Amino acid sequence: MKTFKSGGVHPPEYKDLSKGAALERMPAPSVVVLPVSQHTGAPSRPVVGKGDKVSKGQVVAEANGFVSVPVHASVSGVVVAVEQRPMQNGAVCDHIVIQSDGLDNWAEGTGVKREWRDMGLEKIRAAVRDAGVVGLGGAAFPTHVKLSPPADRPIDTLILNGIECEPFLTCDYRMMLERARGIAEGLRIMMKALGVNRAIVGVESNKQDAFEKMRDTVWADEGVRIELLKVKYPQGAEKQLIEALTGRQVPPGRLPLDVGVVVQNVSTAYAVYDAVVEARPLVERPVTVTGDGVARPANLIVPIGALIKDVLVRQGLDPKTKKVVLGGPMMGIALPNLDFPVVKGTSGILAFKKMPDFMPGPCIRCGRCIAVCPLRGMAAEMIKAIEAGEVERYEELHVLDCMECGTCTFECPSRRPIVHYIKKAKAEYAAWKAKKK
Amino acid sequence: MLPPVIILGFLGLLFGIGLYVASRVFRVTVDTRIERVERALPGSNCGACGLAGCHGLAKAVVHGSADVTSCIPGGEHVAHLVADIMGVEAKVAEKRVAVLRCQGRDVGDRFIYEGIATCQAANLMHKGPKECIFGCIGFGDCARACSFDALHMIKGFPEVDEAKCVSCAKCVAACPKALFELIPLSKLVHVRCKSLESGRAVRKICKVGCIACKKCETVCEFDAVHVKDNLAVFDYEKCTSCGLCVKECPTGTIMSYRETRKGLGLWPVKNAVSGES
């Protein structure tokens, strides 16, 4: 079985908690909160005001530039506020608050079946863009941008990412099991949009049944291949997956485009299918709700904008819960409170009753962080420079190329918050660079 | 006996001529003023002038790319010494000190922070663990940045020792919340809050924050205080430090430094050259 070459770790999986729970649609909550900046790129521009009636799937904020997507109402109801609020990453942007009327009326024109084989390239890309589809793996990069590669960099392979290497998360796994047909269709649509006839679906060997399901569902003609990969974190990272499947290496600071590859998540493929064939915008996404802090771990189809509080309470939130993490445990961010909404990039909500005993010690120079880094980074050296504040050395040490996968932090016997140091260093570097100019 | 003397004598002559030629050809003219200016500077190489240490500043002053008053920590005294060496007149600005725009030492936490114990790092996590996202986080980045022993963390809150502060602006750069400001010593009345939250929100989390009640604005006879974005802001050009607003401020956000500075002998402001140093 293939995998990527350097580094990687095997964190305990904890996927059994929610692995068996079939996808379940969460009914519309009474309130949804839609930030205009859920994607990577320019924030969208709100087009509704307080008091406006909206139906489900209606555009409430329009795309603002090429690397931007619209935001759609995920429930029908009334806009009660358009206000500035902080998002989970601390940045402040406009949030559109919609009070649901409980009817879930779809907007006109949604749900009308279309035949994608008759649609042109531009029409497919436009449909994907207008549906607000972004990468659902976590980075939330607008999908239509990835489907429009520049002419000077030809693409020959589309990779579908069904790795889900983060512990605890199982929603992509359930999507592959239960919605394989839609994913297969989405894969074909994206292949057409990119003009490629080679595609590889990567699935890790701890998801044997999902692999079989995908193999049986995706009609394997014209070079579509399903590959079973050895389990290793962070295989789901774009560059690692490309290396594992094609042997190509993406240089630091470059994009998969530069080696002729586009990577899309399996859930994104389903969203593309939904957008193009069913003409439904991205108003919901699969989210794994798990951890010992919830009574019923589940894989939910959550309306985008539903408050994390509502989702957790629905699954039986333990009052003794101490820590809630958005995303997986390796790369996710702990929340200061539960009033944040589920956004397009939210793949998991983890609730824990125990706070980890977190007492970082000094670096003992064991070099384990260097051994496990999938990017062959010198974490120990980086931290030394960061602690000394040597901003001018960050570039040569490749601090800025770190993808913050958390492998080093997981491995560190001294429990040092390495990723936190690197996040701090990146902010420092940005400030230093801005000052220098 | 004779040959060695001749050989050595000849060699000596040769080297002598070589040295003479070299001293002529590779002559480096050093401006002695650089050395004198450097001696007049404090010599702590703090970098507050933005140049590479005191030698860097001395060179820049002599070459005319820096003003004689560029040494901020040195203040008036050094400026005059340097000006004398350079033979110019120093137009010295008044001494300034760092004023901390927060006094929320009792503000609670929103969440448990377990990351790196520096303000810069904590600020990246949801703007720091404190309830007030504008206020002091309290990990002491400023105290670590101060090279003049003028900033100390006292019970988790920074305090400026104004007698020692040389207005090098290191703390200004170190604070991720930009809570420090350098203000002339003669200005005695300051707003010690930076929160742009509404009065109600501030009241909930902090007893000493600005609640934007506008009482200071009403009472001020010199049009020097204005509430902008829920925060009282001083116009120091107009402020006479009369202290009317200090008495009026219901939360004690506006503070007068008159007594503490009197105690430290910093006020009334003395002239560094004509009066005592």
Side-chain angles (χ1 to χ4, degrees):
Chain A
M1 263 185 289
K2 291 183 186 168
T3 185
F4 58 97
K5 267 199 213 105
S6 55
V9 284
H10 300 274
E13 285 177 14
Y14 295 108
K15 288 191 193 263
D16 291 338
L17 285 171
S18 55
K19 206 172 171 182
L23 287 169
E24 188 186 345
R25 180 167 269 115
M26 178 180 164
S30 57
V31 172
V32 292
V33 180
L34 299 163
V36 296
S37 184
Q38 302 181 27
H39 50 266
T40 306
S44 356
R45 208 177 317 112
V47 290
V48 290
K50 195 178 166 183
D52 288 357
K53 271 185 84 75
V54 293
S55 29
K56 189 173 176 176
Q58 186 184 328
V59 176
V60 290
E62 60 184 15
N64 197 358
F66 179 61
V67 188
S68 181
V69 289
V71 177
H72 301 80
S74 54
V75 293
S76 61
V78 184
V79 178
V80 287
V82 179
E83 60 187 17
Q84 298 259 309
R85 286 193 193 185
M87 292 189 297
Q88 343 132 359
N89 62 8
V92 175
C93 77
D94 275 326
H95 284 57
I96 298 159
V97 186
I98 303 171
Q99 182 88 43
S100 168
D101 56 11
L103 300 172
D104 252 3
N105 286 329
W106 279 93
E108 252 177 76
T110 51
V112 184
K113 280 233 182 226
R114 290 185 284 201
E115 180 48 67
W116 62 268
R117 286 176 185 81
D118 303 337
M119 291 165 80
L121 290 186
E122 279 312 312
K123 229 177 144 194
I124 289 176
R125 286 174 195 155
V128 171
R129 183 189 65 228
D130 295 342
V133 179
V134 299
L136 298 184
F141 193 78
T143 302
H144 70 272
V145 180
K146 275 197 190 172
L147 293 182
S148 323
D152 56 335
R153 273 173 289 186
I155 302 296
D156 60 12
T157 309
L158 170 66
I159 289 177
L160 210 53
N161 186 345
I163 300 294
E164 203 163 46
C165 58
E166 278 265 12
F168 285 99
L169 304 187
T170 52
C171 55
D172 281 352
Y173 163 73
R174 292 309 306 188
M175 286 296 281
M176 285 190 281
L177 273 189
E178 296 176 41
R179 296 187 172 179
R181 187 131 288 267
I183 294 171
E185 199 100 9
L187 171 65
R188 292 288 164 173
I189 296 169
M190 289 195 285
M191 284 171 75
K192 179 169 179 183
L194 283 169
V196 298
N197 45 26
R198 193 164 96 105
I200 314 171
V201 184
V203 183
E204 272 189 356
S205 59
N206 58 356
K207 295 181 262 293
Q208 187 73 34
D209 41 353
F211 166 72
E212 280 159 20
K213 181 85 186 175
M214 289 302 290
R215 188 190 54 198
D216 299 343
T217 316
V218 180
W219 54 109
D221 57 339
E222 324 148 27
V224 177
R225 193 164 95 227
I226 324 287
E227 286 239 25
L228 201 60
L229 295 168
K230 209 167 133 187
V231 179
K232 191 156 87 173
Y233 181 88
Q235 192 142 239
E238 218 168 39
K239 292 179 180 181
Q240 275 54 49
L241 184 58
I242 293 171
E243 194 196 311
L245 287 174
T246 66
R248 296 176 201 176
Q249 280 195 352
V250 186
R254 307 297 285 277
L255 296 169
L257 276 181
D258 297 313
V259 294
V261 179
V262 166
V263 182
Q264 300 280 7
N265 182 272
V266 284
S267 295
T268 315
Y270 188 82
V272 166
Y273 157 78
D274 230 12
V276 176
V277 177
E278 307 274 351
R280 283 200 208 279
L282 184 67
V283 293
E284 52 184 26
R285 66 151 297 147
V287 176
T288 303
V289 186
T290 181
D292 58 1
V294 286
R296 294 177 295 281
N299 298 295
L300 295 180
I301 304 287
V302 181
I304 285 162
L307 295 180
I308 289 173
K309 188 169 54 189
D310 293 343
V311 179
L312 282 173
V313 167
R314 183 180 185 275
Q315 295 313 120
L317 178 64
D318 195 306
K320 278 187 267 173
T321 297
K322 291 257 173 59
K323 188 168 191 171
V324 174
V325 175
L326 217 55
M330 298 293 280
M331 288 187 75
I333 301 178
L335 294 178
N337 61 56
L338 301 183
D339 294 326
F340 294 103
V342 168
V343 292
K344 290 176 182 177
T346 310
S347 48
I349 305 171
L350 317 179
F352 299 113
K353 280 201 284 202
K354 223 176 89 188
M355 285 290 262
D357 185 16
F358 200 76
M359 277 299 290
C363 174
I364 58 169
R365 317 249 336 127
C366 64
R368 267 154 80 173
C369 49
I370 297 169
V372 297
C373 180
L375 301 177
R376 299 191 181 97
M378 302 280 282
E381 290 301 305
M382 292 182 197
I383 306 309
K384 230 167 105 188
I386 295 166
E387 279 187 319
E390 295 169 331
V391 190
E392 61 284 349
R393 286 188 63 209
Y394 292 174
E395 213 169 308
E396 65 175 64
L397 285 169
H398 293 278
V399 175
L400 311 163
D401 296 319
C402 171
M403 60 177 173
E404 300 167 17
C405 66
T407 309
C408 48
T409 313
F410 173 81
E411 193 68 16
C412 180
S414 213
R415 299 193 165 197
R416 289 168 67 75
I418 300 174
V419 173
H420 195 178
Y421 272 111
I422 287 177
K423 282 186 179 177
K424 172 178 165 249
K426 284 182 180 172
E428 250 170 39
Y429 182 84
W432 177 72
K433 199 89 190 176
K435 208 175 139 194
K436 233 174 103 178
K437 259 176 196 164
Chain B
M1 186 64 203
L2 200 60
V5 172
I6 293 170
I7 293 169
L8 273 179
F10 175 73
L11 279 175
L13 191 71
L14 199 72
F15 291 145
I17 292 167
L19 282 172
Y20 174 75
V21 171
S23 75
R24 269 308 176 85
V25 175
F26 302 112
R27 184 193 178 94
V28 181
T29 37
V30 181
D31 195 331
T32 50
R33 288 181 301 175
I34 294 179
E35 205 179 322
R36 284 166 63 208
V37 171
E38 194 180 342
R39 240 180 288 149
L41 293 171
S44 64
N45 295 323
C46 70
C49 53
L51 293 155
C54 294
H55 183 70
L57 176 61
K59 262 206 303 209
V61 168
V62 172
H63 295 153
S65 58
D67 197 71
V68 290
T69 56
S70 296
C71 180
I72 305 158
E76 218 169 323
H77 185 65
V78 169
H80 283 294
L81 287 177
V82 175
D84 283 348
I85 296 166
M86 296 302 294
V88 293
E89 185 119 8
K91 292 191 192 79
V92 186
E94 193 190 332
K95 188 191 169 183
R96 297 182 298 166
V97 287
V99 170
L100 175 63
R101 293 262 186 238
C102 177
Q103 48 179 344
R105 55 178 77 230
D106 299 323
V107 174
D109 286 353
R110 281 183 298 154
F111 57 89
I112 305 165
Y113 174 74
E114 297 182 308
I116 308 164
T118 70
C119 307
Q120 291 281 3
N123 192 40
L124 293 175
M125 301 297 289
H126 313 288
K127 307 248 172 208
K130 291 284 177 195
E131 291 269 11
C132 176
I133 62 165
F134 300 96
C136 175
I137 302 175
F139 285 119
D141 280 13
C142 47
R144 275 190 293 275
C146 184
S147 16
F148 295 91
D149 194 37
L151 248 165
H152 297 278
M153 296 303 288
I154 295 170
K155 285 182 190 154
F157 206 77
E159 255 170 45
V160 181
D161 184 343
E162 298 189 328
K164 288 183 181 163
C165 178
V166 293
S167 68
C168 68
K170 283 265 180 80
C171 51
V172 177
C175 181
K177 304 285 190 193
L179 290 174
F180 288 98
E181 212 172 310
L182 297 176
I183 296 167
L185 203 51
S186 62
K187 300 296 174 187
L188 300 172
V189 178
H190 305 295
V191 182
R192 290 197 59 182
C193 179
K194 228 178 167 173
S195 171
L196 302 179
E197 292 277 2
S198 70
R200 237 180 71 209
V202 171
R203 252 289 202 258
K204 257 193 224 160
I205 54 176
C206 181
K207 289 192 200 79
V208 288
C210 176
I211 53 170
C213 64
K214 299 203 175 185
K215 276 189 178 163
C216 47
E217 202 176 301
T218 323
V219 78
C220 185
E221 290 172 359
F222 306 96
D223 190 38
V225 199
H226 289 284
V227 174
K228 222 168 83 191
D229 298 328
N230 292 321
L231 179 67
V233 179
F234 271 62
D235 180 349
Y236 286 108
E237 298 269 291
K238 291 178 182 164
C239 177
T240 60
S241 305
C242 67
L244 277 178
C245 49
V246 179
K247 288 195 196 91
E248 208 57 41
C249 182
T251 52
T253 310
I254 304 179
M255 264 175 84
S256 173
Y257 284 51
R258 194 180 300 259
E259 292 311 314
T260 52
R261 282 189 190 161
K262 240 187 211 169
L264 289 168
L266 293 168
W267 191 85
V269 180
K270 289 169 196 148
N271 189 301
V273 170
S274 58
E276 302 90 326
S277 73

